[in-house]
Amino acid sequence: MRKQVIIGNWKMFKTNSEAKKFMKLAEKGFKTKPDLIAGVAVSATLLDTVKTNSKKLVVSAQNVHFEQSGAYTGEISIPMLKDININYSLVGHSERREYFNDTDEVINKKVKALLAANMTPVLCCGESLETFEKGKTIEFVKAQLVADFAGVSKEDAVKVIVAYEPIWAIGTGKVATPEIAQNVCKGVRDIIADLYDQATADQVVIQYGGSVKPDNVKQILSQPDIDGALVGGASLEVDSFLALLV
Ligand code: 13P
């Protein structure tokens, strides 16, 4: 059985004092369930604070460099994350692909580096409105995933969490219908089955992301191939974050 994984992506929001306050209330309010992993993906300056204040919630980086160390001003490395017990990182969010030149080649290196360090990559994929309107979503996502999983073994592939986030649904309030989200998440599973085999694909956790809110989360999560959610805006306030986890 696949676990359900719900992660709040705070993007470039919150100071340390805001994060600390959030974590105190979120840890208090979060009722754990055996098959649910919930957590937050936070900016580099918040990782240590949030980790220190978390017991039940997992903490993820939003990005990482694939090299262990080096002259890469502004980047953070896997050893830096491991040193503060961070075991998850988002990889290839559409905002990083669009504004920070995260190509599939770079994303693939990050995925492999995280897996080699026994960390969990939350690998984001998803198409633009133009691609969606042309009916080329699956083709586009397939090209991303083929490149992003290149050289990843079957044993490692099951440890990757894939987040399908249509760009046109991010921060727009335009959530994909549960049917569209299910259809593409099933498509993602089929792509992984083609790359490896069905048994491998059946183990991979696939999230949907894009305008997930407390009032639509249940319907999205009830779809057979959607195992969780990656949530931006609705994860920033504690009440709304906790309402995603019920
Ligand atoms: P919103 O939930 O704000 O649409 O953001 C989705 C997202 O990009 C999560 O990574």
Side-chain angles (χ1 to χ4, degrees), residues 36-228:
L36 171 66
I37 295 172
V40 283
V42 308
S43 298
T45 54
L46 308 180
L47 283 166
D48 199 20
T49 304
V50 172
K51 184 69 193 174
T52 309
N53 286 280
S54 75
K55 278 199 184 75
K56 301 179 270 181
L57 294 163
V58 301
V59 185
S60 173
Q62 294 179 0
N63 182 38
V64 71
H65 199 280
F66 52 83
E67 293 288 359
Q68 299 294 298
S69 62
Y72 300 103
T73 303
E75 293 292 304
I76 55 172
S77 72
I78 288 171
M80 291 171 187
L81 294 178
K82 296 215 87 170
D83 184 48
I84 52 168
N85 302 310
I86 303 295
N87 295 310
Y88 291 75
S89 180
L90 306 188
V91 182
H93 190 282
S94 61
E95 288 149 16
R96 296 226 41 101
R97 291 178 187 256
E98 186 178 351
Y99 308 129
F100 303 100
N101 204 27
D102 270 12
T103 60
D104 282 311
E105 195 187 345
V106 165
I107 290 163
N108 174 247
K109 285 185 183 173
K110 293 181 182 189
V111 168
K112 287 194 285 198
L114 286 163
L115 290 166
N118 273 320
M119 290 179 64
T120 302
V122 180
L123 168 63
C124 306
C125 60
E127 83 289 6
S128 65
L129 183 59
E130 197 189 346
T131 303
F132 172 71
E133 284 176 345
K134 282 189 190 150
K136 298 214 180 292
T137 297
I138 299 285
E139 202 178 305
F140 183 85
V141 168
K142 180 166 188 169
Q144 288 184 321
L145 293 180
V146 167
D148 301 343
F149 273 95
V152 174
S153 71
K154 193 159 89 167
E155 292 68 34
D156 275 347
V158 297
K159 300 173 193 161
V160 177
I161 296 173
V162 179
Y164 166 61
E165 299 202 301
I167 297 167
W168 48 270
I170 296 177
T172 58
K174 271 195 222 161
V175 64
T177 63
E179 292 71 31
I180 293 173
Q182 160 58 23
N183 188 35
V184 185
C185 288
K186 165 81 166 68
V188 167
R189 204 173 301 288
D190 291 343
I191 292 163
I192 298 168
D194 281 351
L195 285 174
Y196 300 95
D197 51 44
Q198 193 61 48
T200 304
D202 286 342
Q203 289 177 68
V204 173
V205 170
I206 301 174
Q207 298 176 312
Y208 167 80
S211 297
V212 175
K213 311 276 177 220
D215 64 4
N216 61 24
V217 69
K218 271 218 169 77
Q219 215 189 354
I220 288 166
L221 294 178
S222 67
Q223 303 300 313
D225 285 288
I226 304 180
D227 309 313

